[in-house]
Amino acid sequence: MNTEALASFVKVAEMRSLSAAAKLYGLPKSTLSLHVRQLSADLNVELFERSGRSMLLTDAGRTLLTHARQILGSCDAARAALTELSDDVAGTLRIGATGEFGTAFYAQMMIAFRRLYPKVEIELTFFSPHVLYASESFDQLDAVVSWDEGETEGETLWTARFALFASRSYLDRAGTPRTPADLADHQGIVYRTPAGLQHWRLQKGAAQESILPRSSLIANEYWTVKYFAAAGEGIAYLPRFFTDIECERGHLVPLLADWESAEKRVSIRLTRPQAASRKMAAFMDTCRRYFSPGFEFEGPRYFVETIHDPQRPEEGTRP
């Protein structure tokens, strides 16, 4: 049985769509379709049935999916076992992550690892949390890196706090809030989580506030929330590390000093901790070092586009 065709079948089965699987894994739709047809012909059974735009598994397809995952898992285990016999750290690591800040540090972390272990191939895939932790996704990965809301599983790599930020142009127009109660008079830019709109949870000593501001701008991507804030559209609730450059350049201003969120952690969880390999041990070590104080990243920093303000002179020019 062709393992490449099996792998294509599993990808399509998980996404219930040729187009979605092709987009997620960066493969030609025609290749996935051909592999599925070949596998169906080889086994002499129908593996999928159409339901609108979705491809649903037949009874035969569901049976095959269970065995296909076991077969592909065994192939990966065999490949990893052979790799362990060599002196070099090599092979493939499949890392899943929540995508809130992918460029800001996940991508940099992978580059830091590749600088040390260039023979390891990395497959980094971003999922929404409810898809990431679903068994059909989780079982295909070697490790998961994510921002956790109250989760206790996995190893903590780092913690960060959220706070409030706005542009000077917005504050000139709407005024500067001095207390959390003042936020009722302001426009917010709200992040949408899979569970709903994100409340601004702030604390200062023993005092705590949970605020859902009025808003006409909602997005499920933090880079967009940050851009709207820098463009003067309202107040945004963002991690402090994520706004450092914008604050340095004057595009954003921190608000309500000392009011911030509780610590939110970045964790890493191995999907098969009992079968950890040398390459996974090396990856874990790199992740820990990447988030350690004093670590110097030797590679390109995440790209932040300078927001052009016609009222502000360009960098390197005289006013």
Side-chain angles (χ1 to χ4, degrees):
M1 191 176 296
N2 187 323
T3 57
E4 190 175 3
L6 273 181
S8 294
F9 162 73
V10 170
K11 289 177 172 64
V12 175
E14 289 171 351
M15 302 305 298
R16 298 185 179 183
S17 165
L18 282 167
S19 299
K23 182 178 180 179
L24 177 62
Y25 292 101
L27 297 170
K29 180 179 175 181
S30 58
T31 300
L32 291 174
S33 178
L34 176 61
H35 285 168
V36 170
R37 291 200 308 272
Q38 288 175 338
L39 190 59
S40 181
D42 183 35
L43 298 173
N44 196 29
V45 293
E46 291 296 328
L47 300 173
F48 294 98
E49 58 185 6
R50 287 279 182 182
S51 176
R53 296 185 177 181
S54 297
M55 295 178 66
L56 303 181
L57 288 169
T58 62
D59 288 343
R62 283 191 289 272
T63 299
L64 178 61
L65 181 60
T66 300
H67 291 285
R69 285 174 173 157
Q70 293 173 351
I71 292 169
L72 294 174
S74 295
C75 290
D76 287 343
R79 190 177 296 111
L82 292 174
T83 299
E84 293 295 301
L85 297 176
S86 68
D87 292 333
D88 294 326
V89 175
T92 301
L93 279 177
R94 295 176 177 85
I95 309 299
T98 50
E100 303 96 328
F101 310 105
T103 312
F105 57 71
Y106 292 144
Q108 288 182 190
M109 189 167 67
M110 300 303 160
I111 291 298
F113 176 73
R114 289 273 295 169
R115 294 286 192 269
L116 297 171
Y117 304 101
K119 292 186 178 181
V120 178
E121 297 178 3
I122 294 288
E123 292 183 13
L124 175 61
T125 305
F126 294 113
F127 299 90
S128 61
H130 69 283
V131 174
L132 177 60
Y133 291 109
S135 59
E136 56 267 27
S137 301
F138 199 74
D139 292 345
Q140 303 304 308
L141 301 168
D142 296 305
V144 167
V145 186
S146 65
W147 284 73
D148 296 324
E149 295 285 349
E151 295 284 342
T152 57
E153 294 187 46
E155 176 182 332
T156 299
L157 293 174
W158 189 54
T159 59
R161 294 180 187 269
F162 282 59
L164 298 179
F165 301 87
S167 70
R168 295 187 186 280
S169 63
Y170 172 81
L171 298 175
D172 289 342
R173 186 173 71 251
T176 301
R178 303 298 178 186
T179 69
D182 294 342
L183 295 172
D185 299 324
H186 284 267
Q187 187 75 12
I189 303 161
V190 178
Y191 178 79
R192 183 186 293 280
T193 74
L197 299 182
Q198 183 185 53
H199 284 64
W200 296 353
R201 303 191 188 280
L202 302 168
Q203 59 186 38
K204 180 180 180 181
Q208 296 186 356
E209 298 283 347
S210 179
I211 300 162
L212 185 60
R214 58 186 174 88
S215 177
S216 58
L217 283 173
I218 298 170
N220 67 342
E221 200 263 345
Y222 279 113
W223 288 89
T224 303
V225 171
K226 181 168 69 171
Y227 178 83
F228 285 154
E233 291 297 316
I235 297 174
Y237 180 70
L238 295 165
R240 291 193 183 279
F241 84 89
F242 193 53
T243 59
D244 283 347
I245 294 177
E246 286 76 20
C247 289
E248 288 173 6
R249 295 182 178 181
H251 299 312
L252 290 176
V253 176
L255 304 176
L256 299 183
D258 302 326
W259 284 93
E260 59 186 3
S261 74
E263 286 190 338
K264 296 179 181 291
R265 73 184 196 127
V266 179
S267 70
I268 185 167
R269 188 191 310 182
L270 304 187
T271 59
R272 292 175 291 277
Q274 70 281 1
S277 61
R278 286 176 59 206
K279 62 179 180 290
M280 179 52 69
F283 181 73
M284 289 286 290
D285 179 65
T286 301
C287 290
R288 295 184 188 108
R289 283 194 284 157
Y290 178 84
F291 285 109
S292 296
F295 177 81
E296 294 186 7
F297 174 65
E298 297 180 359
R301 291 289 178 181
Y302 70 90
F303 178 74
V304 178
E305 183 178 5
T306 300
I307 299 171
H308 175 66
D309 182 349
Q311 304 302 317
R312 181 187 174 96
E314 295 292 335
E315 291 184 15
T317 63
R318 295 179 181 272

